[in-house]
Amino acid sequence: KGKRIGGWLIWVCIGLFLNFSNSINNINLYENDVLNTENITLLMSIEGGSSILSSLKFSYFSTSIIMTAFIFLIILFFQRKRVFVKVFIVIWISIILLHTIDYILTIAMSEGAIREWKMPSAEKNIILSFGSALIWIPYFVKSKRVKETFIK
């Protein structure tokens, strides 16, 4: 039957829900404030606007992928599926890659106010996702509790 979810796994659970919630907030921000018709029209009317728009659309797209990944992880977590650990590691590495690509696109394609607005969050996303990976991936690989919890 395996152990119940407990110990440090409670923090993993909280983190999954907080990250999912953050993804929803970011998607709402992009849909309502950033990628609205007025801003798209404005961006298309300025020089380099299409590049900036492409960078913003990638951010929106990657956030949508990340939100979907967290839904999948939450389901696997509560089903206590053995595959959760491997999927968690793959998804977390993918999240780091998406954040890194977003950062590079921000540098390459954005300028002025857009870059100033977007750079702090792009940098923060890389640091937080990388830091989380440094903590949780070794924990999932070595923890006896994890091996005894995710057995199905």
Side-chain angles (χ1 to χ4, degrees):
K1 188 177 177 182
K3 285 192 173 188
R4 297 176 121 178
I5 294 170
W8 289 103
L9 289 174
I10 296 297
W11 291 108
V12 173
C13 179
I14 291 169
L16 290 173
F17 279 102
L18 287 175
N19 280 292
F20 173 69
S21 174
N22 187 46
S23 296
I24 290 173
N25 290 336
N26 287 337
I27 286 172
N28 285 332
L29 173 73
Y30 277 101
E31 288 178 350
N32 298 322
D33 298 330
V34 178
L35 294 174
N36 61 33
T37 308
E38 182 181 321
N39 287 343
I40 291 172
T41 304
L42 176 65
L43 283 172
M44 295 310 290
S45 69
I46 63 172
E47 185 178 336
S50 62
S51 293
I52 295 168
L53 185 59
S54 295
S55 173
L56 292 171
K57 284 183 177 179
F58 179 81
S59 296
Y60 174 77
F61 176 72
S62 64
T63 301
S64 299
I65 290 171
I66 290 169
M67 183 192 70
T68 304
F70 279 115
I71 292 170
F72 186 58
L73 282 173
I74 289 167
I75 291 168
L76 290 177
F77 182 84
F78 283 107
Q79 290 178 342
R80 297 186 311 165
K81 296 282 188 181
R82 182 182 308 244
V83 74
F84 170 79
V85 174
K86 290 178 184 172
V87 172
F88 179 90
I89 293 169
V90 168
I91 286 176
W92 215 264
I93 291 169
S94 300
I95 288 170
I96 293 170
L97 290 174
L98 284 171
H99 287 318
T100 303
I101 292 167
D102 185 45
Y103 178 78
I104 292 167
L105 287 174
T106 299
I107 291 171
M109 302 174 110
S110 300
E111 52 191 49
I114 298 289
R115 184 184 283 186
E116 288 175 25
W117 168 74
K118 202 166 170 242
M119 283 302 285
S121 66
E123 292 168 346
K124 181 187 81 164
N125 287 340
I126 291 173
I127 292 167
L128 289 177
S129 58
F130 190 74
S132 296
L134 285 176
I135 293 167
W136 294 116
I137 291 175
Y139 171 73
F140 279 115
V141 170
K142 295 192 179 260
S143 170
K144 208 178 213 184
R145 171 119 198 168
V146 169
K147 287 178 179 76
E148 292 173 358
T149 301
F150 298 100
I151 60 166
K152 294 180 186 176

